[in-house]
Amino acid sequence: MSSTPHDPFYSSPFGPFYRRHTPYMVQPEYRIYEMNKRLQSRTEDSDNLWWDAFATEFFEDDATLTLSFCLEDGPKRYTIGRTLIPRYFSTVFEGGVTDLYYILKHSKESYHNSSITVDCDQCAMVTQHGKPMFTKVCTEGRLILEFTFDDLMRIKTWHFTIRQYRELVPRSILAMHAQDPQVLDQLSKNITRMGLTNFTLNYLRLCVILEPMQELMSRHKTYNLSPRDCLKTCLFQKWQRMVAPPAEPTRQPTTKRRKRKNSTSSTSNSSAGNTTNSAGSKKKTPAASLSLSSQVPGLGAIPNCSLNPGRDGDLCHSTAVTPSGQFKEKH
């Protein structure tokens, strides 16, 4: 029996990639690998449009990026939104970095309904510096990523907590300047702070001011208002939200059931009912048929009996059938 292309054990002469595989969901770590390749394809001519395309490919529209680390003056935590993420990556290269990539080791994945969380306690951000001197910086920490569970699988939240960093200088450079004390003193100084360049740190400090102004910028871009008018409208809307009382939960209207009067009580109060009906003729209750055959024994059928008064003013005027078969007028 000869093999055919439909046979799962069929070997194609064009190689193993001749057959079409079924589509499968990309692993989250592979997305980081793709991001590293995209960063390596960056050139010196990459402009803002290139960085916007980079952020659109790997980050959601409402994504946030958070960095936590500790400096000499205390712990720091910076969170930026989607519009500021492209500029963050570009500042890394503006600080003298020629190469940037992330290494994830022993990461844990957890799947949810609409997202995938990757928790890597041994993440390393590796940057290669060309100036002020040739140095390799390894920034280690914990990286927590949340991806959307769809075909694009873009990053929704990025949280990198830096624990330590190392700056590595090649031995060849030290050997070249072994007889120059000034160069050796310069090589012994750190070129980063917790693995981040001064360009990146200054940009993160600036984002503390820029992030709250995103609403003003978007309003100015959408409605073409002046900065003063944008500030007035934003402040007025925030004031309205603060002053407006909280919305009360809607209550369902309670329906009251109308109670029917018994025939005995209706008959005994016929005189009172006549007076009331004559005085308030505008508010008449609709006629409702009332069967007495089930209440008075011996009555076969009562064809005409209602709660409205008859000709003589009585409540009920009807003809009943007695057990003997005779018709009897009943008032």
Side-chain angles (χ1 to χ4, degrees):
M1 184 176 179
S2 60
S3 300
T4 60
H6 302 284
D7 188 358
F9 300 100
Y10 170 72
S11 178
S12 172
F14 300 100
F17 302 102
Y18 175 72
R19 290 177 295 169
R20 182 178 180 181
H21 296 275
T22 56
Y24 58 93
M25 187 66 68
V26 179
Q27 296 296 327
E29 288 191 16
Y30 187 75
R31 290 293 290 165
I32 301 299
Y33 170 75
E34 290 180 338
M35 188 178 70
N36 292 335
K37 289 185 62 177
R38 186 71 71 248
L39 290 173
Q40 291 175 2
S41 65
R42 180 202 66 91
T43 62
E44 296 294 336
D45 299 331
S46 298
D47 54 1
N48 294 334
L49 294 177
W50 190 93
W51 287 110
D52 288 338
F54 165 79
T56 303
E57 182 180 358
F58 295 99
F59 290 89
E60 284 288 329
D61 297 336
D62 56 346
T64 58
L65 187 146
T66 304
L67 291 176
S68 302
F69 48 89
C70 188
L71 294 179
E72 297 83 2
D73 54 347
K76 306 293 181 181
R77 179 188 176 96
Y78 298 98
T79 300
I80 60 177
R82 166 63 181 80
T83 55
L84 302 177
I85 290 177
R87 181 63 179 161
Y88 161 75
F89 283 95
S90 64
T91 56
V92 175
F93 292 91
E94 291 175 2
V97 175
T98 58
D99 194 9
L100 166 65
Y101 57 92
Y102 293 86
I103 301 176
L104 277 63
K105 295 182 180 180
H106 308 293
S107 60
K108 299 179 181 179
E109 302 176 0
S110 57
Y111 293 82
H112 308 281
N113 292 333
S114 60
S115 63
I116 305 175
T117 303
V118 178
D119 188 352
C120 182
D121 194 59
Q122 300 180 18
C123 176
M125 180 182 70
V126 182
T127 54
Q128 191 72 49
H129 295 252
K131 57 182 182 180
M133 61 193 67
F134 190 81
T135 309
K136 184 177 182 180
V137 181
C138 298
T139 308
E140 301 175 354
R142 180 182 181 183
L143 180 62
I144 301 177
L145 302 174
E146 182 183 356
F147 294 85
T148 54
F149 198 12
D150 55 9
D151 296 337
L152 298 177
M153 195 175 286
R154 296 189 296 182
I155 300 172
K156 191 172 184 179
T157 57
W158 173 299
H159 190 180
F160 187 35
T161 305
I162 301 175
R163 286 194 295 260
Q164 61 181 357
Y165 73 105
R166 294 173 297 165
E167 296 186 0
L168 309 177
V169 180
R171 289 180 179 270
S172 57
I173 297 181
L174 295 176
M176 289 172 55
H177 303 87
Q179 305 300 328
D180 194 344
Q182 294 182 356
V183 177
L184 291 177
D185 183 64
Q186 186 179 1
L187 290 174
S188 62
K189 295 180 181 179
N190 294 332
I191 63 174
T192 63
R193 299 176 63 186
M194 292 301 294
L196 303 176
T197 62
N198 289 330
F199 279 83
T200 304
L201 289 175
N202 292 334
Y203 177 71
L204 292 176
R205 296 190 188 100
L206 185 62
C207 288
V208 177
I209 303 174
L210 291 177
E211 189 65 32
M213 295 179 63
Q214 292 301 309
E215 185 177 358
L216 297 176
M217 296 177 184
S218 62
R219 189 175 295 274
H220 170 71
K221 186 177 181 180
T222 304
Y223 302 103
N224 198 17
L225 299 175
S226 63
R228 186 178 296 274
D229 293 338
C230 292
L231 182 60
K232 286 182 179 179
T233 54
C234 290
L235 290 177
F236 180 71
Q237 289 182 357
K238 287 189 176 182
W239 177 80
Q240 281 184 327
R241 290 194 292 265
M242 292 172 61
V243 175
E248 297 182 357
T250 57
R251 298 179 180 178
Q252 296 182 354
T254 57
T255 57
K256 296 183 179 180
R257 292 185 178 181
R258 184 176 296 172
K259 297 182 179 180
R260 292 184 177 180
K261 297 181 179 180
N262 296 333
S263 60
T264 56
S265 60
S266 301
T267 308
S268 60
N269 298 333
S270 60
S271 59
N274 295 336
T275 308
T276 306
N277 291 332
S278 60
S281 58
K282 294 183 180 180
K283 298 181 181 180
K284 290 185 178 181
T285 58
S289 300
L290 181 63
S291 176
L292 299 180
S293 60
S294 60
Q295 299 179 8
V296 182
L299 296 182
I302 302 179
N304 298 319
C305 184
S306 64
L307 294 179
N308 291 332
R311 295 179 181 178
D312 300 333
D314 295 336
L315 181 65
C316 186
H317 184 83
S318 61
T319 305
V321 181
T322 60
S324 58
Q326 299 177 356
F327 293 94
K328 181 181 180 180
E329 192 84 3
K330 188 176 181 64
H331 295 277

